[in-house]
Amino acid sequence: MASFLTQSVLKLFLVISLFQISLAGRKLSEVVQDQPQLLTYHNGPLLSGKITINLIWYGKFKPSERAIVSDFVTSLSSTPPSQSNQPSVAQWWKTTEKYYHLTSKKSSLSLSLGKQILDDKYSLGKSLKNKQIVELASMGDQKNAINVVLTASDVAVEGFCMSRCGTHGSALGSTDGLVKAKKHSKFAYIWVGNSQTQCPGQCAWPFHQPIYGPQSAPLIAPNNNVGLDGMVINLASLFAGTVTNPFGNGYFQGPAEAPLEASSACPGIYGKGAYPGYAGNLLVDPTTGASYNAHGNNGRKYLLPALYDPSTSSCSTLV
């Protein structure tokens, strides 16, 4: 029995894996990182200055679904006045600032929501390779920006559900095809897929029953959308990895081909008391019964993953 539980637990969590140079993905793994070690700084640049986040929506998304993500992005840099005494998205994001304090350059970062580009005609089809994700990401402005590609639930992406729920990386711009960047310009990008119909047990836990490991009842999603609330969790993790390890030589632990980063070093942890199969002690909305740990703009509530705090060498949660 103990052996069975151990094998089940080892299949539960997600970590980051590199799929090409400077390309990291939120990956399904058989490794549980119970006591994260200090992430090592590899002397590369962090994203700094005023950075714009551009959202590229690929496939069919309702306006209400797009608002869940755009409200999350704007919440990273502002705390609603009415929620000043409550755990917020902005408070969660402040943990990433500690990485900047550790570098010799002492730089800082300011994020804002930029353009939203809609491609609801599936211009590249419904089965995408890594290079096509880069093409889509290149549709956004590439100077001082993070371009985020979000694929709809009916879009298959190379490696999606099999080994990853999303990815982040960097690429060189080109003038070919969809790519509009000046030659040799380098930009950071993120991709996250909507797993609602393809693999919610892998990429939308704890809002869906997990495929592996201890089984417990799924939590109610705070925005009543398992797919989009799951995307926010993955996007949050990848934002943290992107700004602290944008080009594969920032903060990470382990081999560069399969690094643990600011969020993936703390898999499956959302609140205090978390253990495999249990997300932790979370806040619960008295009206909807939804579980969350952060307040956002426009009355939003979100569930966000723990971040590795370099000042305490431990996983930090809001609640």
Side-chain angles (χ1 to χ4, degrees), residues 6-14 28-32 212-213:
T6 299
Q7 293 176 8
S8 298
V9 169
L10 290 176
K11 292 182 179 179
L12 181 60
F13 288 133
L14 299 169
L28 304 168
S29 174
E30 295 187 356
V31 177
V32 176
Y212 305 114

Side-chain angles (χ1 to χ4, degrees), residues 106-119:
K106 305 294 183 185
S107 57
S108 61
L109 174 69
S110 174
L111 298 178
S112 62
L113 178 64
K115 298 178 181 178
Q116 296 197 54
I117 300 170
L118 309 183
D119 185 347

Side-chain angles (χ1 to χ4, degrees), residues 165-239:
C165 304
T167 198
H168 86 80
S170 63
L172 294 176
S174 167
T175 57
D176 297 330
L178 290 173
V179 182
K180 300 178 181 179
K182 293 181 180 180
K183 192 174 182 180
H184 301 313
S185 61
K186 199 171 188 179
F187 65 96
Y189 68 89
I190 292 172
W191 158 70
V192 175
N194 185 342
S195 67
Q196 185 152 13
T197 60
Q198 297 185 52
C199 56
Q202 293 163 293
C203 297
W205 184 84
F207 302 130
H208 191 278
Q209 201 84 6
I211 293 180
Y212 305 114
Q215 299 294 302
S216 57
L219 303 179
I220 297 174
N223 295 287
N224 197 33
N225 190 311
V226 170
L228 269 293
D229 278 299
M231 290 182 83
V232 168
I233 289 176
N234 294 315
L235 182 57
S237 174
L238 292 166
F239 269 142

Side-chain angles (χ1 to χ4, degrees), residues 133-170:
I133 294 297
V134 176
E135 288 183 7
L136 291 171
S138 302
M139 295 172 68
D141 295 333
Q142 294 165 18
K143 184 177 181 181
N144 300 322
I146 301 172
N147 292 335
V148 181
V149 177
L150 303 118
T151 51
S153 59
D154 58 347
V155 177
V157 177
E158 183 179 1
F160 187 38
C161 296
M162 298 296 291
S163 60
R164 58 182 181 168
C165 304
T167 198
H168 86 80
S170 63

